Amino acid sequence: MPQIRHNYFFGIRTPWTLANETVWKKTHRVGGAIFVIDGIALVVTGLFFKEVAYYVMFMGIAVMTIGSAGYSIYIFKRNEKSEMTEAKNKDAE
């Protein structure tokens, strides 16, 4: 997922990732790792613990969705705050 270019059709498309390319890149880097970890967990539970694989799948989807969206808003707010601080410092000079 880190190789996906900023677009409106594919990827983790939240208002924050679409508004800023840096947020897009960072979110997709973390989102890709979350997706891989969830995939490995699902394969392992599917092979060894079939009775709980259904629950792991839905918990993984929830973690992927909420985790990716939460991280994108966190990065967006952090970038916004640093840009405001830079602007204030620039005005103070």
Side-chain angles (χ1 to χ4, degrees):
M1 289 188 75
Q3 297 176 355
I4 298 172
R5 292 185 181 163
H6 189 251
N7 68 75
Y8 290 92
F9 302 106
F10 183 73
I12 302 169
R13 298 179 322 250
T14 64
W16 311 286
T17 58
L18 295 174
N20 188 319
E21 192 164 346
T22 304
V23 175
W24 175 275
K25 288 179 183 179
K26 289 182 179 183
T27 300
H28 280 78
R29 181 164 300 225
V30 170
I34 292 171
F35 279 50
V36 168
I37 291 167
D38 182 50
I40 291 169
L42 186 58
V43 168
V44 169
T45 53
L47 290 173
F48 299 109
F49 309 103
K50 291 181 178 141
E51 58 277 351
V52 295
Y54 179 78
Y55 300 108
V56 170
M57 181 180 68
F58 283 105
M59 288 301 293
I61 290 170
V63 168
M64 287 187 301
T65 305
I66 295 168
S68 298
Y71 185 72
S72 70
I73 194 167
Y74 167 74
I75 293 297
F76 183 79
K77 295 280 185 182
R78 193 175 76 182
N79 282 352
E80 196 174 66
K81 190 183 294 184
S82 68
E83 287 173 3
M84 287 174 55
T85 326
E86 287 175 12
K88 284 181 184 179
N89 290 340
K90 196 172 190 179
D91 288 342
E93 292 174 356

